[in-house]
Each structure stands twice: as C-alpha cells, then as structure tokens.
Amino acid sequence: MIDIAKANQTAVSRMMEARPILKGVTPAKDVIPGMKPNLLLHAGPPIEWARMSGPLRGAVIGALIFEGLAKTEQEAVALVEKGEIDFAPCHHHDTVGPMAGVTSSSMMVYIIENETHGNKAYSNLNEGYGKVLRYGAFSEEVIAKLRWMNESMGPLLAKAIEASGGIDIRALLSESLHMGDEGHNRNKAGSIIYTAKLAPWIAKVVADNEVESEVLKALGDNALSVLNPVMAACKAMSASAHGIEGSTMVTTMARNGTDFGMRVSGLGEQWFTAPAEVPDGLYFPSFTSKDANPDIGDSTITETAGIGAFAMAAAPAIVTFVSGTPQDALNATLEMYEITIAEHSHFTIPQLEFRGTPTGIDIRKVVELGITPRVNTGIAHREAGVGQVGAGLVRPPMKIFEDALVAYAERYKL
C-alpha cells in the first residue's frame, strides 16, 4: 500500500533542501542536454507549429533569424513548414524560459547547480522590458539586443560569476522576500541584490570600461534581471522532487500560449494539459483583454516551488502591477496554504509572522477543495511581433488536476 503522506513529505523536503547556486553563463549548445543547431526549446508542454500561438510563433521566427538560419520572417516560416526545425519543451531539457521561452543553440544561458542533490538547470538571459523576443517580437532592434547580450553581456557575466565563486540563489530569494518581492512578477529587490553581488566582480574582470558601464546599466535598469536565474533555481529545486514513487505533489506547471500543462512527482513524464486561459489583469494604454493571448511561459515554476503568487503576502505593492488590493495579496497566500503540503523552511513572510510560504501543491487537495493554484503573470499580445500588453493573475484549468488524479488512481490501483 502506497504511503502518500510519506511520499509527499519526501518530495517536498527534497525541494526545500535543494540549494541552487548560480555557477556560470555559457552557450546553450555547450551545456543543455540534447541541444543541437536545428532544435528550438519553448515554454510549456509539447506543441506543434500548427497550434502555436502568435507570441510563440514570433519568438520562433526571431530565434531563427538570430541563429542566421533565416534572413526574413518568410524564410523562417518556410524553414519550419518544410520540417527542418525541431521543437521541444524547455522542461524536457532541464531548462526553463519566461513567456515564449524560446532558447536556441547559440544563446547564452545561466547554469544553476543544486549543490544538495547534484542536478543542474538552465535559463536564457533576461532582455528587459519593451519589445523583446520572449513576448514574440522579432524586429531588427530585438535581434540586435540579443546579439549584444550574447557577445558582450553574456561573456562578461560568465567571467564575473566564475570569479565570484557562485551566487546562492536560495539565499538571495529569502532576502528579497523580506524586501517586498514575491519572486515571479516582482523582482525589484532581488534584481538590486543580484546586481550588487555581481558589480565588484564585473569591475574586477572587465577589460573595457564602456562594456562595464553598458552591462551594469542593463542590469540596474531591469527589475527582472534576476528572474531568469531565479526560474532556473526553482527548476533545479522542483526537479529534485520529481519521480518520488507515490507522491501526488506537482513538480511542473508551464504554459505554451495554447495549453496549460502540469506534471506530478509520482506520475513520471506524463503531461496533463487543457486550454490555457487569458489572464485577468491591468493593461498598458491602448490595449484591452481583446488583445491578450492566453497564458504563456515557464515562469509558473516559481509558484511550483512555493514563491510567486504563493508569496504575494510578502509583496503587497505588486497589486499596482497585476491588479487587486493589498488585502487580496494577503488572501492569495492564505488560500494557497489550503492546497499545499508544507510551509517553506527557507522562504518566509514577515507580514505573516515569518510563516513559511505555502509549498508543494497536492493534486488531491486541489480537487477535493476546488481551489486551483494562483499564478502571477505577464500578458502577451495575441499577434506575433507586438510584445507585452499588460500583467495580471490567472489560474490553471481544474481539468488537469482531475485528469492527473484519475491517472494516479489507475497507476497505483486505488
């Protein structure tokens, strides 16, 4: 007889004990398992070109131009339609990416190593705000910035991180939660801490003062500069909890702009999917919900690991970005305690007497109580090439939890 409580305790303990350290930056083809020149990784569960949303298609087109495999949008689409490009979820390659999440072989990626369990995870570099590849934009300006990140910023970050001996992302997150972040949509404090930790090493290893100035400005101006290493850290933590026999704990939540997908620790590599919903939120001037694409991105790995919307009580100021009131932020965290297995031993919330964040989503509790996880998210325009149009809140469809529970009962003959 499966001891579900014991299996879940093992899974959630492994996730909380994981200690992700930022170890370096290097081209994806050098470190991501199975990476090859004609492979593009994307956010969310598996999906073919015909079903891809506008922002994901736009990011694919931009990545093919960035790689030099196509010169124009038309050439990129023709390349895909001839079947010369392979696609795979980032999660199948120990990788995560915000929004479209498209990662190609030449792109620089962060390397995170979980020093407790030995596994690694990867994420691309954050482009900042405005028209960016992760929201499906692929103009010359977007490609030029990607090239600068790859040729100037990435190599300098690699040298600085190596010289620093590594950055403890779990410790950084713990501190930033006490400074008003929730670790998903609000990373202002974390990005400042990240820049402050890197700055002395950047100054020490740099050979060109102009490059130093540009990189420090890019990091300092971007309140999401730490999001990508945080996501890779959360991936390393949740991956260490995957594959625990009998566990009903969620270890992956991700969206590709068409489907919302989920995987469960005790159910192997099977994805449970249903149509992704359009987030409810605040829109930039001149945009409305009619412009919005359904939810997209691997950044739900933060909620999976016990931060993001699950830690909203620590970040009341985020409601000015995703809508709601400070009381709503408090209530969001309190509700998530109802569907989780533990309170995090390292991520705590001052506003709740330093109670640990709700951690480890149990599919049984979700179905029994009818409460789905909360997610903070950015909102992409539904058409390729436009970019971000707002930010808001969304929940996964209940169907994926119901389907997972049925699959669990069948597998374990309950």
Side-chain angles (χ1 to χ4, degrees), residues 45-292:
I47 189 168
E48 67 278 14
W49 172 255
R51 295 185 65 244
M52 286 184 186
S53 62
L56 182 48
R57 283 187 172 215
V60 165
I61 292 166
L64 293 176
I65 295 173
F66 169 76
E67 289 290 338
L69 297 175
K71 294 180 180 177
T72 65
E73 174 184 358
Q74 292 73 22
E75 285 187 16
V77 171
L79 204 59
V80 172
E81 291 181 341
K82 283 192 290 185
E84 295 186 13
I85 302 301
D86 293 338
F87 298 106
C90 292
H91 276 286
H92 289 188
H93 294 262
D94 300 328
T95 302
V96 284
M99 303 312 290
V102 170
T103 304
S104 60
S105 65
S106 296
M107 288 182 182
M108 287 286 193
V109 294
Y110 286 112
I111 306 167
I112 292 283
E113 182 174 342
N114 169 11
E115 291 200 334
T116 307
H117 305 108
N119 59 306
K120 295 181 180 178
Y122 312 93
S123 182
N124 51 12
L125 309 186
N126 196 283
E127 306 159 78
Y129 297 94
K131 288 194 173 184
V132 289
L133 188 80
R134 70 178 186 277
Y135 279 94
F138 56 86
S139 64
E140 289 184 10
E141 172 190 0
V142 173
I143 303 302
K145 185 165 189 181
L146 286 174
R147 293 209 166 105
W148 175 80
M149 290 168 60
N150 239 46
E151 295 165 7
S152 296
M153 185 179 192
L156 181 53
L157 290 179
K159 291 178 183 176
I161 292 167
E162 181 182 7
S164 75
I167 296 175
D168 187 333
I169 300 297
R170 189 181 69 183
L172 182 152
L173 270 170
S174 299
E175 187 175 0
S176 67
L177 290 180
H178 291 181
M179 297 169 67
D181 281 358
E182 44 76 271
H184 182 171
N185 259 7
R186 186 177 171 86
N187 280 288
K188 290 190 175 183
S191 294
I192 290 170
I193 297 170
Y194 178 57
T195 303
K197 286 184 178 295
L198 279 177
W201 299 105
I202 289 174
K204 189 169 185 177
V205 302
V206 73
D208 183 330
N209 290 339
E210 186 65 26
V211 174
E212 176 187 7
S213 174
E214 291 173 353
V215 170
L216 287 175
K217 186 175 190 311
L219 292 174
D221 287 348
N222 183 7
L224 293 175
S225 61
V226 80
L227 172 63
N228 296 43
V230 162
M231 285 176 56
C234 290
K235 172 63 179 174
M237 290 189 277
S238 63
S240 70
H242 191 71
I244 305 299
E245 186 73 1
S247 174
T248 56
M249 192 179 88
V250 174
T251 49
T252 306
M253 293 195 296
R255 315 84 91 199
N256 55 35
T258 302
D259 301 319
F260 197 117
M262 176 186 74
R263 296 191 296 185
V264 177
S265 178
L267 291 176
E269 303 309 308
Q270 183 176 1
W271 285 92
F272 300 92
T273 65
E277 299 181 3
V278 173
D280 179 21
L282 300 177
Y283 288 85
F284 300 160
S286 80
F287 295 108
T288 70
S289 60
K290 293 180 180 177
D291 301 303

Side-chain angles (χ1 to χ4, degrees), residues 235-409:
K235 172 63 179 174
M237 290 189 277
S238 63
S240 70
H242 191 71
I244 305 299
E245 186 73 1
S247 174
T248 56
M249 192 179 88
V250 174
T251 49
T252 306
M253 293 195 296
R255 315 84 91 199
N256 55 35
T258 302
D259 301 319
F260 197 117
M262 176 186 74
R263 296 191 296 185
V264 177
S265 178
L267 291 176
E269 303 309 308
Q270 183 176 1
W271 285 92
F272 300 92
T273 65
E277 299 181 3
V278 173
D280 179 21
L282 300 177
Y283 288 85
F284 300 160
S286 80
F287 295 108
T288 70
S289 60
K290 293 180 180 177
D291 301 303
N293 194 77
D295 196 22
I296 185 170
D298 284 334
S299 52
T300 33
I301 195 67
T302 56
E303 279 83 9
T304 308
I307 57 173
F310 285 45
M312 273 186 75
I318 196 174
V319 299
T320 62
F321 189 52
V322 299
S323 79
T325 67
Q327 186 61 47
D328 291 334
L330 189 65
N331 292 343
T333 295
L334 293 175
E335 184 185 45
M336 294 301 95
Y337 284 115
E338 300 292 322
I339 60 170
T340 45
I341 297 162
E343 296 182 10
H344 208 290
S345 51
H346 296 279
F347 302 149
T348 60
I349 301 174
Q351 291 85 341
L352 295 176
E353 305 294 333
F354 293 96
R355 191 176 176 184
T357 61
T359 303
I361 302 161
D362 187 339
I363 60 170
R364 298 175 306 163
K365 294 183 179 181
V366 171
V367 174
E368 178 187 357
L369 299 174
I371 300 173
T372 49
R374 291 173 178 262
V375 174
N376 293 340
T377 186
I379 304 174
H381 196 284
R382 61 173 60 250
E383 295 176 2
V386 179
Q388 185 176 10
V389 296
L393 306 167
V394 71
R395 293 186 190 247
M398 178 61 82
K399 183 179 185 299
I400 61 176
F401 297 92
E402 295 170 341
D403 289 350
L405 198 55
V406 171
Y408 184 93

